[in-house]
Amino acid sequence: MTEHEPGYKTRTARQSAGPSETGDVNLGLLGGYIGYHLRLAQNASFRAFQSKSGRADLRPGWFAVLNLIGDNPGITPIALSRAAGRDKSTLTPILRDLTEYDYVVSKPRPGDRRSYGLSLTELGRERLGELAAHAKAHDRVLDEIAGKQKEDFIRILKRIAEELA
Amino acid sequence: MTEHEPGYKTRTARQSAGPSETGDVNLGLLGGYIGYHLRLAQNASFRAFQSKSGRADLRPGWFAVLNLIGDNPGITPIALSRAAGRDKSTLTPILRDLTEYDYVVSKPRPGDRRSYGLSLTELGRERLGELAAHAKAHDRVLDEIAGKQKEDFIRILKRIAEELA
DNA sequence: AGGCAATTGTTTGCCTCCAAACTATCTTAT
DNA sequence: ATAAGATAGTTTGGAGGCAAACAATTGCCT
């Protein structure tokens, strides 16, 4: 898309004209849509968290998974995927990495040879601790923003996730 | 609210038919994190919207872009990327597609040969209308969930996006 | 038993996105 | 005027995600 006619070569210009300026973009109907703001907020939150935990073995995507395994020893990948809100196929490489790093171990499930149960290793508990420190600091900022409406705020988020499932 | 026994529940999957069943997974600390619920809600909202507008030329990612161009004729890609909360490089292929579909045209900007201004075609306005119908129906559900707290809810989302930028 | 449907986890293919590197152009300083 | 820096847009590379297709196993039904 670099095919614009030579056109004019006015040099006066001053970026005076309009709506292309940074701040004064007209959002129109968009400004009233919950979905739009939801995406911007989630995006900002994710980036902020990601930028803090820079290590290769402390990826933000691992936090929820480690947390859930820690709180539910013996959990299966499928239960994990539902709780973490991720597709089961998304979990496969994550669990492979977590196992390679020795943060997680899987044991066969008596009574069902298709599946296996997951639990944290001691090392995994350590890493979870580090991630939790990041997460806590991160969520403290969000808590401040939400203020005393935090409970209401989370309640609405929960209902959105439930009712649109 | 989120305080359950961390015990080892060696339950062997009774797993009734309910697919919406989140299951008896213990969320632990995760249940109190705003970031976690934010991601789940955004994810659910996005999927729900996507599943409704199934056409190839009505992708959900286009909605915000078409809307912003429509409300800000002559806007540049960079201003657009900021308003839409996407990286400028993300916009390049989107704008290429929108131009190929003849929903958008770009005109050279007098005074700056690096850039160009975007605006909708008549066809683009039509498609925007269709997308807007979907979006309105979608957001009506979200509005219902938020109820009379919608304004507060959006305010918090906005602040999250701003302060974590 | 035997057969058929459902479930588990993996593989494969595709899409969206960001960040860094790059080119072209504009601006500012000297 | 020229050099140095800032800015606009594109390209490239990699991460992360979903969904459909698949194999293995389990459960159900007759």
Side-chain angles (χ1 to χ4, degrees), chain B residues 15 59 61 85-90 94 111-114:
Chain B
Q15 197 64 347
R59 307 188 214 164
R86 300 233 150 86
D87 193 88
K88 52 184 176 155
S89 62
T90 301
I94 295 179
D112 193 339
R113 274 178 305 181
R114 299 170 297 183

Side-chain angles (χ1 to χ4, degrees), chain A residues 21-37:
Chain A
E21 257 312 319
T22 309
D24 49 1
V25 173
N26 179 13
L27 291 184
L29 291 176
L30 219 50
Y33 283 135
I34 288 181
Y36 171 68
H37 296 291

Side-chain angles (χ1 to χ4, degrees), chain A residues 79 82-84 162, chain B residues 15 18-27 36 40:
Chain A
R82 281 194 274 255
E162 285 167 12
Chain B
Q15 197 64 347
S20 56
E21 190 68 36
T22 314
D24 45 3
V25 173
N26 179 15
L27 291 184
Y36 172 67
L40 293 190

Side-chain angles (χ1 to χ4, degrees), chain B residues 13-152:
Chain B
R14 187 63 55 89
Q15 197 64 347
S16 50
S20 56
E21 190 68 36
T22 314
D24 45 3
V25 173
N26 179 15
L27 291 184
L29 290 176
L30 218 51
Y33 282 133
I34 288 180
Y36 172 67
H37 295 291
L38 198 52
R39 184 170 60 75
L40 293 190
Q42 143 66 12
N43 199 31
S45 166
F46 178 74
R47 297 299 154 204
F49 183 83
Q50 185 174 243
S51 71
K52 280 186 186 171
S53 60
R55 294 177 50 176
D57 55 343
L58 281 182
R59 307 188 214 164
W62 291 3
F63 177 62
V65 171
L66 284 177
N67 227 308
L68 286 166
I69 295 178
D71 287 324
N72 302 273
I75 193 173
T76 64
I78 269 222
L80 197 53
S81 80
R82 280 192 275 256
R86 300 233 150 86
D87 193 88
K88 52 184 176 155
S89 62
T90 301
L91 241 58
T92 300
I94 295 179
L95 292 176
R96 178 173 45 74
D97 290 344
L98 288 177
T99 303
E100 268 175 21
Y101 273 107
D102 250 324
Y103 297 167
V104 161
V105 284
S106 58
K107 294 193 300 188
R109 274 162 64 84
D112 193 339
R113 274 178 305 181
R114 299 170 297 183
S115 185
Y116 53 89
L118 299 158
S119 46
L120 293 186
T121 64
E122 199 48 51
L123 193 56
R125 246 177 282 276
E126 278 179 36
R127 289 296 179 272
L128 175 55
E130 302 176 37
L131 273 175
H134 286 285
K136 194 173 178 181
H138 174 64
D139 226 69
R140 198 177 303 131
V141 180
L142 296 181
D143 280 0
E144 261 175 35
I145 293 174
K148 51 184 68 169
Q149 308 182 18
K150 175 181 178 183
E151 291 312 314
D152 287 336

